[in-house]
Amino acid sequence: MLSEIAKKKISELKTKFPERKSAILPAMHMVLEEVGFYNKDILKQVAGLLGLSEMEVAETVSFYTYFPKEGVGKYHIQVCTNLSCMLLGAEGLVSYLEEKLKIKVGETTPDGIFTLSAVECLGSCGTAPMMQVNQIYYENLNRAKIDQIIDDLKMKK
Amino acid sequence: MVTLTIDGKQIIVEEGTTILKAAEKLGIEIPTFCYHDQLETVGACRMCLVEVEKIPKLQVACATVVSEGMVVRTDSPQVVNARKGVLEFLLINHPLDCPVCDKGGECELQNLVFKYGSDKSRFVEGKRRYIVDPKSKYDDLAIGPHIIRNMNRCIQCRKCVRFINEIAGEDDLGTFKRGSKTEINILPDIPIDNPYSGNVTEICPVGALTSKSFRYKIRVWQTEAIPTVCPQCADGCNIRIWKKDERIYRITSRRNDEVDEGFLCDKGRFGFDFVNHPDRLKNPLIKKNGKLSEAPWDETIKFVTSSFMKIKGETGSDSLAGVGSGKVTNEDNYLFQKFFRSVIGTNNIDHRVDSKNLLPSPDTQIRNKYFGMKNTINQIANSKLILVLGCDLEKEHPIINLRVIKARRKGSSILVANPVSTRLNRFAQNGLLYKQRTETDFLNGVLREIIETKQYDNAKSGFSSSEIEDLRRKVSSSDSLKALQTTGIGAENIKSFVNALVKAESIIILCGAEIISNPKNVEIINSLYDLIRLTGHQDKDNSGVNLLWKHSNSQGTLDCGILPDRLPGYVRISGKPGLNFNLMLEAVNQGKIKAMYIMGSDPLSEYPDREYVKSTLGKLEILLVQDILITETAKIANVILPGASFAEKEGTFTNVEGRVQKLNKAFDPLADSKADGQIICLLAQAMGHEFEYRTPKDIFKELTGVSPIYSGMDWETLGLSKKQGKVK
Amino acid sequence: MEKILFKYIDFPEQYRIDTYIKNGGYRGLPKALEELSPVQIIETVKKSGLRGRGGAGFPTGLKWGFVPKDSQKPKFLLCNADEGEPGTFKDRSLIENNPHQLIEGMIIASYAIGAHKAFIYIRGEFAFGAKRLSEAIGECYKNGYLGKNILGSGFDLDLDVYRGAGAYVCGEETSLMESIEGERANPRLKPPFPASVGLYKNPTVINNVETLSNISHIVLNGGEWFANIGMPKSTGTKIFSLSGHVNKPGNYELPMGITVRELIFEHGGGIKDDRKLKAVIPGGVSTPILTPASLDVKMDFESLYEAGSLLGSGATIVMDETSCIVKAAYRISKFFEHESCGKCVPCREGTRWIRLILERIENGKGREEDIELLRDICTNIIAKTVCPLGDAAAVPIMSSIEKFRDEYEYHIKNKKCMVDLGTRFV
Ligand SMILES: Cc1cc2nc3c(=O)[nH]c(=O)nc-3n(C[C@H](O)[C@H](O)[C@H](O)COP(=O)(O)O)c2cc1C
Ligand code: SF4
Ligand code: FES
């Protein structure tokens, strides 16, 4: 799954920190960038490249929620539903997206393009409601903006 | 020293003591879930919260270190409420299935709820479930050959994972996810299968991890726990047998910090099947017309003794020989040698059936080179460097192996040198593989490197310069230089090996079976002594050369004189020594030995040359085998006497470090079998000798009178308390 | 008054090193390296009265002073850019728009405590911020502000960005260290404190982005200058992240001690759609909720504490009359359940239980006794957990019951909200 370049980059992380385990999160960020998700085999590969045991890598990775698992769509739409966004209509935003994408929160469209998640505060409360699609923030959202964003993403595929 | 007050009582404790430990000294119990004195303190369960004057928040007793003048309350309403709170939190998601839970009766949560909890639940929502199989309402999951997990009962103290990581040095059990979804699990399809896995069932305070072999067989309160000693290896772990009627249901640890620190290996914990095995010998058997058939005891005893007397009368006492075993008790062995020496009249006695290369017998006065362990098991964890040579430590001595891992955890260096890689190598700073049988060449190379680079400790070594010169010459000869090349170890490796050795503040060397039965065993051991001396460690507490015997009572068997040239306590035979096992075999082939009595040993499986033993023993007129199962050797015997297993008798075992520990009888010998000592008495009596012992205690008393190294030991205090006898 | 941290926040390309320098940047650093000893810098920071902006308000100079001077061990400086407290978005702005201000502060701080290795731990979601920081760090290496022999002073420092991965608890200082060490980020027991046993068991100082961004200004203008801004015990300015039902949400850098009213009505432009104010959370969702009765409370560490709340991160969430307190509490409880690390019992089990009860009440299945039960659960969490996340989860619920008990009662009795929430998404 990982390209040779990514593999090389990950194994270089092995000596970057005073302790090897420190390289787990940086390696997973590389995995996210390169593959977009992780699975059992990728964890195994990362462990091998870092000279760690599979267990060490799996335990640590399972603690964090940022790395999507295999099965996530090409575009991972994460809507902040925490308090500030909720006060300004995050729930409406979620249902609008559900309606538009014809999936429920936690699901992926059958074509594998979109996954919709409701997430915790993304540090953008002053521009609520907002969402993150893969690594990009979209803020001060309303229906018109959502229509535009989804259409653009669909075009790009 | 620090003075503090707990619940109004004053106590003085050492600096660095925790409140929990200080309270324990006062007999004040503070409840805990996540605390375990062998594991790093995590302070996670919050059950041990106590009030400390002048600190506004309650503090965890397990991790809070005492300070001068501290005033602690463990019984204030605030503390009691906090405990109640924690218990309530743990219970809201804990299934109320105590009546069916296997841990019922010995569950720490159940016990503490009885003590502090309220029985009214304020929790009305659905309990958290970790669904393993949506079709089953039991969320049991086999996570290894021995272990069943039920995550719903887990209280997340993580003692299991911490044990596996910290003590066993493994990582086949882990913690996943976080928060209220936290889960203890294995990796998909990688079962927990390390030799210490069973400990997690004991360390788990609740019924989340239970043992496959015990669960649902019986309720603990229907069983009786008998304190005794593990028969599986020479480490001598203290155990409890949980039995009902004539059956063992499980074995658990009976913590002894000098020996096992509360842990067992899976073989010791789960490997008791042989006791209740359907193939156990139940009656004496005599071979008639080439077929073994059952015979009554009196007939068998008569047959054996008349055969022995006939042979003795015809060709003399030395036509008989006795083979004892490191697997039976000191009392059995003591009687065995007494039977041969005083009833038969021969010194043809041995027990070392697994090697052609026997070590010289030790002498009484000194802790001789060939004695066993110089150090105690506990000292191992204190040594700064441990060299494991010719030993698969995890397999041969699993509990000593844990001490080595502990030393590693405390920062000691581990060196391992073996013909093949062992699992301990993963902890080794240096893991060398030498070609089999090149130990002496390898060690000469090591000594040479130390001497040539002048890295020895001249002052402390006590070597005179001429001695050093002799040694130097020996290890630097062209022969030894050439030999070094055959070891397969490069010069660089020797260098870094030596580097570690000369730097170390203390060195403990552990040698296993590969060294003990090595053709060059004496030479190897001498080199190791030279090594300890050269590095200046010969008189130090946490340094020394240790030979690790194989069987649960190997040390005791030596101590009790199951040797052709030593009486109990290594008293030299005044006259001509008897034959050792190898010479016995020769004598059989020469027709000089006609009868052999083998108690508890199985030379056909243990001797390096099976066919040779088989054909040799086949030539005997009488081959008497006394054992609990039909061993390979028993299959070719004329007479078989059914002995009792370790669970069926009283007596003592002397472990590898010379600790004499008591075995207690869990139940009577199976069917018509008898304790080995009792059988010997019957034989002796039938031959007109007064072997009148009421119990093994009488035998032990006689032994302590006869053997200088056991003198002064007291049967009553052996084993039951921590005050076991220690070989002097 | 003149802004300090935000003075150039909207300046085009302030994130670039040359712009930063043109606007007066990298002046504090040479002064620190050339004119001041580490001890003098710590003294200056002490004199400034600067207190941590990450939430707890611990005096920064004092914290730096705890690092053992004679220790041979390597020392570390960590910048806490995990900004996860709901309602807070100030550090993100400081990072994205003025990364060099932070870096300059970090170099000075490292010099003061004797660290040669520093990390910025930034939450995983801030991918853009992480990129900005990495680029800025690259510029620094190129221009001699980082690496060996910084500005010819003989002082060496390596600085790295370390990205988190979606765990609020990593903002807790010891979890953050566990996280960098590659472990499951469970908080550690204290003592030992990070100043003696921190990252990789070495002496470590950890500070918030805003805290560190102040350093170069303090070094440049002196401790007294800073101490004269704001309140006597809460000196300097504070960035308030204003969100919720206000007309002009956003970050406002204002002197410590302005009132809640000033913040909401003068700077935030008042309540949206001219509705009435119902409640204010002054320091992020982990701080106790306030009612309009507290509008004239000053926003600084002491005053808010006296008013029964906390300054926290300065994230002010405004709720108008159409907000349901029970629903808000439920949402907050979901957050803490999700973010509890699971190490200690009261937090792991308590946060879930609170959420279950609030969910039930929210769904019209509340029971009268639930209110007391919630209070009991909160009591059994507060001050009994390993790290302050437990308190953070319980305190706001407790305070919402104290201040808005009638809403809970109404909800339970009538199985619905007291107010008409309407829909906000258009
Ligand atoms: C659960 C929890 C989350 C925290 N999150 C953050 C955070 O995101 N950013 C931050 O700077 N401090 C956070 N803190 C506070 C830090 O633990 C620490 O006090 C702070 O980084 C110290 O820096 P300061 O003294 O400059 O404020 C958090 C604390 C807790 C208990
Ligand atoms: S309070 Fe919560 S987050 Fe903190 S240690 Fe306990 S379980 Fe973890
Ligand atoms: S025993 Fe102290 S917190 Fe668990």
Side-chain angles (χ1 to χ4, degrees), chain A residues 40 53-56 58-59 62-65, chain B residues 171-178 187-189:
Chain A
K40 200 172 90 184
S53 77
E54 272 177 79
M55 183 59 97
E56 286 173 304
E59 279 186 298
S62 78
F63 185 90
Y64 299 93
T65 54
Chain B
D171 70 352
D172 45 13
L173 190 64
T175 317
F176 295 90
K177 306 204 184 120
R178 72 175 186 225
L187 287 174
D189 311 321

Side-chain angles (χ1 to χ4, degrees), chain C residues 334-361:
Chain C
K334 257 169 76 166
F335 170 72
F336 285 110
E337 182 196 12
H338 188 256
E339 300 302 338
S340 168
C341 82
K343 175 175 178 165
C344 67
V345 174
C347 172
R348 180 184 69 235
E349 303 298 337
T351 52
R352 180 169 180 273
W353 197 3
I354 291 177
R355 190 267 297 167
L356 285 169
I357 295 172
L358 287 172
E359 188 166 272
R360 210 160 28 73
I361 299 177

